[in-house]
Amino acid sequence: MHSTMINILKTLYSTKISKENLAHNLEIKESGLLKNVNLINAFLKDLKVNQIEIENGVLKLKLTKNHWSKVFKKIDTLTFEEKVDYLYIKLVYYEFINLEEERKLLDISRSSINRCFTAVKELLENHGSHTIYSTGKGSRLVSLSEANKHIFIVKLMKLILEEDILTPLQRDLLNGMKDFIIKIRLTKLVAIYKCLKLPITTTLLSFLCALDIYSKRFQDNIYAIEENDEKKLEKIKRIKNVVDIIGGINFTERYKEILVYYIYSIAMNKHYYFEDRLNTSNDIIEELFKVTKIYCEDLKKFLLQQLYFGMVKKEFNIFILRNVELNSEDFILLNLFDKILEKYSQKLNICDKYLIISYLKKEIIKKNIIDIEKILIMVGEVNTLRQLSLEKELKFHFPKIKFSIDYNYLNLGKKNKKNYNLVIDDSKSTLREGDVFYRIKKAIERSIIRKIIIES
C-alpha cells in the first residue's frame, strides 16, 4: 500500500471529508483519488470490514476501534518517508544506528535500507550535521546542528499526532523515548492553556508534548526568559504557577522550565523553532491585513500561530485534515489568500486556510458593517407573518441597520434604489439555500467582503 492510500485511511480515521477537499490536500485529481479509494476498498473487503462510502460527494469509513486496529496492523510496511523518519529519529535520539539490524526490523532489502539512509544522511549533512561509519558496526552521529534538532522535534510531533494509528515498529520507537502517557499529557496541557486563557491547536499541543522527549535528549539549552516589563513578568509568574500546579509531580523540573519558556514565547510570538517560517508567516499576515484593511493585534497573534503551524504541517506532511464547507464569500477570501501564499511560495491544507480566513472574515465584517445604514430586501412573495418574523430577527442581529422589505424591483424606480447602501434580491432563492434570514445574513457578509476585495 503506497503513501497516498495510507494518507486517505489516516484522514478517514479522524473525519469524513469531501472528494474536493481530500483531492486538494493530496494534490491529486479526483479521478486519481477515486482510483485509490477502489484499491483501498479491495483491501478492506479482503479484511471483511466495512468499505469507504461516498455519499453526496463526501467520503466516510465507518469502522469500530477494533476494526481500525486490524486495518493498521495489516499495513505492516512503512512508506519511504516513514522509513526515513524512523531512521532519522532513532539516529538522532540514540546517536548510533546499525543498518543491518534495522533492515531486519523493517523487513526490507539492503538496497532499500541504503536508499532510506542516504536520505537521512542528506537531511543531516544539508543542515550542518555529520555522521561517521564504522565497518561492521554502524553509523554514529558526531555532530548535530540546531536546524536538525528542530527537524527532529517536528518528526516527533508527527509520531505523537498519529499515535493511535502507528505500526508496531513506530510505536516501539516512540515508547522507548517517552516515559509518559500521551493522552494524559495532552489533557494536562489543554488544562494549562484553558487556565491561562490562551489559544491552543492540536499541532501546538503535539509540539509541547514532544518537548518532554526533546528535553531528555538535549540538556545543554538554557531556557531563561529575560524581561524587565512588570506586566510581562507577572504573566511569566502566572504561567509558572499554572504549569507547576497542573503539571505537579508528573512533570520534571526540566520539562516545566522548557514548557514555561515556550508557552510564554509562543504567546508573545517571540520564539518558534523555525525563525524563517515565523518571519514568512508574519509577512503573509501583514500583507493579508493590508489588503483587507484591518488590523487587530490579538487576531494577528492568533493567525500567526495558525499559519506557522499550518506551514510546518504541510512541509513535513503531518496529515491532520478536517472537512470544510466553503460559502461564496469564503471563496473570495480564499482566492486572495492563495495569491499571497503563492507569492511567498507557501502551501497550506485547505482546512488550515479555512480557519484563517474564517477569523479574518469575522473581523472584516465587524469593522465594515458599521458603514451600512439602510438595506433593501427584495422577496419573491409577500407573507405578513413571515415578514414580521424576519423584521424582528433582523433588528435583533443588526440593530443599527434600517431594513426595508418589498416584493420585487417592479415597485421601485432607480431613484429609490440609490437611497440604500445595499440591495439584496432574495426573490429567486430556493429552500436549499437555507431560511430567509440565513440567506440575507450571508448576502450582507458577501457584499462586505466583495467591496473590500474590489477596493484593494
Side-chain angles (χ1 to χ4, degrees):
M1 186 174 287
H2 56 70
S3 58
T4 300
M5 293 168 68
I6 292 172
N7 285 332
I8 291 171
L9 281 170
K10 285 179 179 179
T11 300
L12 295 178
Y13 174 79
S14 57
T15 187
K16 58 183 180 181
I17 189 167
S18 70
K19 291 185 296 181
E20 294 84 359
N21 284 348
L22 188 52
H24 176 90
N25 290 310
L26 291 168
E27 298 182 9
I28 60 175
K29 293 180 179 179
E30 281 188 40
S31 58
L33 173 65
L34 295 176
K35 183 179 178 181
N36 280 286
V37 168
N38 289 335
L39 291 171
I40 293 170
N41 278 342
F43 166 76
L44 296 172
K45 186 177 180 180
D46 289 342
L47 292 180
K48 297 180 180 178
V49 299
N50 290 337
Q51 298 174 38
I52 298 171
E53 297 176 1
I54 303 177
E55 188 176 323
N56 296 323
V58 175
L59 282 76
K60 55 187 176 182
L61 179 54
K62 296 178 181 179
L63 294 178
T64 64
K65 190 173 181 180
N66 287 336
H67 282 166
W68 273 114
S69 178
K70 184 178 180 181
V71 168
F72 283 110
K73 279 181 181 177
K74 279 291 179 179
I75 306 172
D76 54 359
T77 57
L78 302 178
T79 65
F80 177 80
E81 183 187 0
E82 287 172 334
K83 289 170 192 170
V84 171
D85 286 354
Y86 171 85
L87 295 172
Y88 180 93
I89 291 170
K90 201 162 191 179
L91 176 58
V92 171
Y93 189 82
Y94 294 105
E95 300 181 77
F96 177 82
I97 202 163
N98 184 304
L99 289 188
E100 185 59 26
E101 290 180 4
E102 298 304 330
R103 184 187 72 78
K104 292 174 183 176
L105 288 172
L106 291 166
D107 192 22
I108 56 177
S109 65
R110 286 188 175 86
S111 60
S112 293
I113 192 78
N114 287 333
R115 279 197 302 274
C116 293
F117 194 65
T118 297
V120 172
K121 285 181 65 178
E122 287 176 354
L123 190 54
L124 289 165
E125 291 169 2
N126 290 343
H127 291 88
S129 302
H130 299 285
T131 61
I132 56 171
Y133 173 73
S134 300
T135 306
K137 294 182 179 180
S139 294
R140 185 173 299 279
L141 187 66
V142 292
S143 68
L144 188 67
S145 67
E146 287 298 313
N148 278 123
K149 289 181 183 179
H150 302 164
I151 293 170
F152 169 74
I153 201 167
V154 176
K155 292 186 182 297
L156 276 182
M157 286 165 58
K158 193 172 180 180
L159 286 184
I160 289 168
L161 286 165
E162 295 182 354
E163 182 197 15
D164 291 339
I165 52 177
L166 295 177
T167 62
L169 196 60
Q170 291 171 307
R171 191 178 300 279
D172 288 345
L173 174 63
L174 182 59
N175 289 339
M177 294 183 289
K178 67 179 180 67
D179 53 10
F180 56 87
I181 298 171
I182 290 175
K183 285 182 172 58
I184 294 176
R185 176 57 51 86
L186 293 176
T187 301
K188 285 185 173 289
L189 290 172
V190 168
I192 288 169
Y193 265 74
K194 279 187 176 180
C195 191
L196 294 170
K197 296 180 180 178
L198 292 172
I200 187 72
T201 66
T202 304
T203 317
L204 176 55
L205 277 173
S206 68
F207 170 73
L208 296 174
C209 198
L211 284 173
D212 197 338
I213 298 171
Y214 181 90
S215 64
K216 282 170 57 183
R217 170 64 178 85
F218 306 106
Q219 299 193 10
D220 53 334
N221 301 62
I222 299 173
Y223 297 97
I225 305 171
E226 297 179 6
E227 288 288 5
N228 296 317
D229 184 272
E230 191 173 327
K231 285 186 178 180
K232 291 178 180 177
L233 288 171
E234 190 61 34
K235 188 179 184 78
I236 295 165
K237 184 180 178 182
R238 168 76 174 147
I239 294 172
K240 284 181 178 177
N241 288 339
V242 171
V243 168
D244 193 52
I245 291 168
I246 295 176
I249 60 172
N250 294 312
F251 289 11
T252 65
E253 292 305 310
R254 174 69 173 173
Y255 182 54
K256 288 178 184 177
E257 178 190 5
I258 194 172
L259 200 54
V260 170
Y261 176 85
Y262 278 104
I263 289 175
Y264 175 75
S265 299
I266 291 173
M268 301 301 289
N269 287 331
K270 281 195 162 194
H271 184 85
Y272 286 78
Y273 263 59
F274 299 100
E275 292 295 330
D276 56 338
R277 278 79 157 186
L278 179 62
N279 293 334
T280 301
S281 298
N282 186 70
D283 291 342
I284 291 172
I285 296 299
E286 286 282 359
E287 186 160 343
L288 202 52
F289 276 13
K290 183 180 178 181
V291 171
T292 54
K293 300 176 183 177
I294 64 165
Y295 193 86
C296 174
E297 188 61 36
D298 289 340
L299 180 62
K300 181 184 177 182
K301 287 180 181 179
F302 177 70
L303 294 187
L304 189 63
Q305 184 185 118
Q306 299 296 323
L307 179 57
Y308 171 85
F309 280 110
M311 284 163 50
V312 170
K313 278 167 59 181
K314 189 67 175 177
E315 182 179 351
F316 288 90
N317 293 316
I318 297 175
F319 223 73
I320 299 177
L321 303 178
R322 291 291 181 271
N323 196 37
V324 296
E325 293 182 10
L326 296 167
N327 297 308
S328 55
E329 69 272 15
D330 295 326
F331 281 107
I332 298 169
L333 280 175
L334 185 62
N335 291 335
L336 173 68
F337 192 25
D338 277 337
K339 288 177 183 176
I340 296 173
L341 288 172
E342 188 177 350
K343 178 180 174 181
Y344 289 89
S345 302
Q346 296 299 325
K347 292 182 178 180
L348 287 182
N349 290 326
I350 198 164
C351 52
D352 293 312
K353 292 180 192 176
Y354 175 77
L355 188 63
I356 290 169
I357 64 170
S358 62
Y359 279 94
L360 189 65
K361 180 176 74 173
K362 187 177 179 181
E363 187 65 25
I364 291 170
I365 292 165
K366 178 183 172 183
K367 178 179 181 292
N368 290 277
I369 202 164
I370 58 174
D371 296 329
I372 299 176
E373 297 176 355
K374 297 173 70 179
I375 294 177
L376 171 65
I377 301 168
M378 306 305 300
V379 294
E381 59 185 27
V382 177
N383 182 311
T384 306
L385 290 176
R386 190 180 76 162
Q387 183 168 328
L388 289 172
S389 174
L390 175 60
E391 286 174 347
K392 186 177 179 180
E393 199 165 9
L394 289 169
K395 189 172 182 179
F396 177 79
H397 287 92
F398 304 102
K400 295 181 180 180
I401 299 176
K402 183 179 178 181
F403 289 91
S404 298
I405 301 174
D406 213 318
Y407 178 56
N408 59 36
Y409 287 120
L410 297 176
N411 298 333
L412 295 167
K414 292 181 179 179
K415 185 177 179 181
N416 288 345
K417 284 188 283 184
K418 289 180 180 178
N419 293 333
Y420 297 93
N421 301 107
L422 179 61
V423 177
I424 297 173
D425 181 11
D426 191 62
S427 61
K428 296 179 182 178
S429 299
T430 65
L431 292 175
R432 285 188 65 187
E433 297 170 274
D435 65 33
V436 65
F437 171 74
Y438 174 83
R439 297 195 302 261
I440 290 166
K441 178 177 178 292
K442 289 298 173 186
I444 293 170
E445 293 175 352
R446 190 160 52 248
S447 175
I448 291 171
I449 298 297
R450 280 177 176 163
K451 183 174 180 291
I452 291 298
I453 302 303
I454 289 169
E455 289 179 353
S456 67

